[in-house]
Amino acid sequence: MLKRQIQDYYRSLRPSPATGERLRKSASAASPADFVAAPPADFVAASPADFVAAPPAEPAAALRPAAAQRRPGFGLALFAAAAVLAVFAIGYSTGRRGTPPAGGVPPPGPAIALTDGPPPASTRPSLEPRLVLFKMHADWCPRSPKVAPIFQELGEKFANEPVLFVTFDITDAPRQRQAMLLAKSLGILDQIGDHRGEMIRMEPGLIRLVDRHAAEIVCTLRERGEQPEFEAALAHVLPRQPRGEP
Amino acid sequence: MTTTPEELDDLVQRGYRFAYALTHDAARAEDLLQDAWVSVLSARGPWTCAYLLAAIRSRFVDLSRRQRGAPFAPLNADEIQDHSDDHGSPRDAESDQLEGEFADSDQLAAALGWLRVEERAVIYLWAVEEFTAQKIAEFLGWPRGTVLSLMHRARRRLRDWAAQRSGA
C-alpha cells in the first residue's frame, strides 16, 4: 500500500543526533513556564515611596550644573570639618573661661542644630498613592491603541489627584515579567490579571483602577463608551481634599 | 504544553520529516527545522506539532521567496478538477493500485523527489500526519478542491514515474 510505504519512508528519516540534541536542549532551557509564572515568593517588594524618594540615577546627575555635581562625600567631609572646628572653638573658649578638663576632653557644649531635620509629618505630602490606574498594553493587541488616548485623557484630567498612573507592557515574555515584578512591588499583582494556580493571565487593551489599600479592582474600562462611568467611579473613590479658606 | 523529553523528541522528528518533505534534502531540512525552531523559541511556544509545522511552512515560504520566487507553483486551470463531492481523505483504492510498484525505499524516495513541493507537502500530510483533505486545506490555506486535485495529480505522477521505470 502506497500510504504505508510513504509512512515507513518518512518515519525512517531522522535528523543528525547533534542537531536533535541541540534543539531539545534549547527547548528545555526555555520552557514557557519560566515567563508566565508568578514572581518568586521570596521577592521583597519595595514601597512605591522608595521609588519616588530614590536619588536620581547617574544620567540625571550628569545633567545637573557643574557646581551641583560634587560627590556627596565631599559635602559630608566639609560639614564634618566645620563641626570639628566648631567643637574646638567652643572648647577653646570654655578653656579660656575655666579650667581645662582632665584628659583633654572638652565638656559638652551647647546643643547646635547641625541640620534643619525633616519637616513635620503634618506638612509632608503623602507619597504613597492609594489608587493605581494602570493600562495593559501589548503591541500585538488591536485594542491597545484604542484605549491609549483614553488613558492619556484620564492622566491629564486627574493629574493633580493622588492617583498613580502606570502602563504595563506585556508585549512579550521579558516585558511580561517586568510588568509582574512592578505590579508586585506596587502590591497589585492580584489585580492585574486572572490567577490560575501559578499562572497569571493578563489581558491587554484595558484600563483598570485599583484600590491598593482595599486590594480590590474598582472598575475596568475596555472601550470608549465606558469612559463616563469609569470617570464617575474614579471621582467617587478619590479621597476628599479639605478645601482651604479663600 | 510539550515539555517532556519524549514529547520534545517526537516534535523534533515530526518537524524534521515535514521539513524533509518540503525540501527533499537532509541538510536543507535541518536548516529549515532549526530556523523554525528558533522562531518558536522566540515566540516562547507553544510547543505543539501544529505550531511547529506551521512555522516550518512559513519559514520555507519565506526562504523560497527570497531565493527564487513563489515556492508553490499555481495549479493549471485544466488540472483543477472539482472534487467537492469527495469526503474525508482521498480514496485509498487508487493508492492500492500502486502496491508493489516501489520495490524499496530508494525507489520511493526518487519518486517523491520527482514530485513538486506542493504535491510532496500534501502527500506527506495525508500519509504520515494522517490529515484529512479538509485539515490539509486549512493548514495550507488552500481550497479543499485544490488539495484533492494535488493529491490526484501527485498519485498520477507517481504512477507515471513507476511506469517509466518498469518500461525502462
Side-chain angles (χ1 to χ4, degrees):
Chain A
M1 183 177 177
L2 177 64
K3 188 172 182 179
R4 175 64 61 188
Q5 281 186 313
I6 295 173
Q7 279 181 358
D8 293 343
Y9 168 69
Y10 277 114
R11 287 177 180 169
S12 68
L13 300 174
R14 288 185 170 274
S16 65
T19 300
E21 187 64 22
R22 186 166 60 249
L23 296 181
R24 278 189 294 271
K25 280 185 178 177
S26 64
S28 301
S31 171
D34 64 356
F35 69 94
V36 284
D42 57 350
F43 178 80
V44 179
S47 166
D50 295 341
F51 290 102
V52 177
E58 282 302 319
L63 296 177
R64 280 181 287 169
Q69 287 191 10
R70 297 191 194 101
R71 293 184 175 182
F74 179 77
L76 286 177
L78 191 64
F79 181 78
V84 169
L85 283 175
V87 169
F88 271 105
I90 293 168
Y92 179 70
S93 63
T94 307
R96 281 179 65 90
R97 284 199 299 270
T99 306
V105 178
I112 302 173
L114 301 179
T115 63
D116 294 331
S122 58
T123 61
R124 189 174 184 177
S126 172
L127 294 177
E128 187 174 347
R130 181 169 65 88
L131 298 171
V132 178
L133 196 153
F134 65 82
K135 175 185 69 172
M136 303 296 286
H137 171 84
D139 291 347
W140 41 264
C141 172
R143 218 169 47 194
S144 290
K146 296 178 181 174
V147 299
I150 304 174
F151 186 73
Q152 180 76 19
E153 291 173 17
L154 292 171
E156 293 170 358
K157 193 168 184 177
F158 296 93
N160 295 324
E161 304 293 345
V163 181
L164 177 64
F165 287 81
V166 184
T167 296
F168 291 116
D169 190 347
I170 55 171
T171 299
D172 52 18
R175 280 180 271 193
Q176 285 175 11
R177 185 161 181 80
Q178 286 296 310
M180 285 194 292
L181 292 175
L182 177 58
K184 175 133 187 170
S185 70
L186 292 173
I188 58 170
L189 185 61
D190 292 339
Q191 285 80 37
I192 65 165
D194 298 331
H195 288 249
R196 296 177 180 176
E198 294 295 319
M199 317 291 276
I200 300 175
R201 180 182 174 275
M202 292 182 286
E203 178 186 352
L206 61 81
I207 298 173
R208 181 167 286 172
L209 179 64
V210 171
D211 187 335
R212 292 178 60 237
H213 291 182
E216 65 178 14
I217 298 170
V218 178
C219 53
T220 302
L221 181 151
R222 289 185 175 83
E223 56 187 21
R224 172 73 73 176
E226 299 169 353
Q227 187 174 358
E229 185 182 352
F230 188 87
E231 289 185 8
L234 174 54
H236 181 71
V237 296
L238 275 176
R240 295 183 179 177
Q241 300 292 334
R243 293 181 180 274
E245 293 295 326
Chain B
M1 184 189 307
T2 302
T3 51
T4 64
E6 293 77 17
E7 288 171 326
L8 278 178
D9 186 55
D10 180 60
L11 207 56
V12 169
Q13 303 301 335
R14 292 172 75 175
Y16 176 76
R17 288 171 199 148
F18 184 55
Y20 190 92
L22 292 177
T23 60
H24 206 66
D25 180 84
R28 287 184 63 203
E30 285 200 1
D31 289 346
L32 182 59
L33 173 62
Q34 290 193 52
D35 286 349
W37 198 269
V38 168
S39 70
V40 178
L41 271 179
S42 304
R44 301 283 191 144
W47 293 102
T48 59
C49 183
Y51 192 82
L52 179 64
L53 297 190
I56 289 171
R57 179 181 175 272
S58 300
R59 189 67 187 150
F60 177 72
V61 170
D62 290 345
L63 290 174
S64 302
R65 280 182 183 153
R66 202 174 300 166
Q67 289 171 359
R68 55 175 175 78
F72 297 107
L75 287 171
N76 297 327
D78 57 344
E79 291 183 77
I80 298 177
Q81 302 173 6
D82 185 12
H83 294 271
S84 57
D85 55 338
D86 293 343
H87 299 287
S89 57
R91 298 182 300 274
D92 284 342
E94 291 186 29
S95 307
D96 291 339
Q97 293 174 6
L98 294 172
E99 189 174 8
E101 289 183 345
F102 295 101
D104 53 30
S105 60
D106 290 340
Q107 276 196 15
L108 179 60
L112 288 171
W114 197 53
L115 296 180
R116 293 159 71 167
V117 173
E118 61 269 28
E119 295 167 347
R120 254 199 327 266
V122 170
I123 284 281
Y124 171 83
L125 293 172
W126 161 69
V128 183
E129 296 293 340
E130 297 187 329
F131 283 10
T132 62
Q134 182 63 35
K135 196 170 179 184
I136 294 172
E138 291 171 0
F139 178 75
L140 295 175
W142 296 336
R144 181 169 171 271
T146 303
V147 170
L148 292 170
S149 295
L150 281 169
M151 286 296 305
H152 175 78
R153 192 170 63 177
R155 285 197 299 270
R156 195 180 64 195
R157 285 167 70 90
L158 286 174
R159 248 195 327 265
D160 292 347
W161 189 92
Q164 286 177 6
R165 283 285 172 168
S166 59

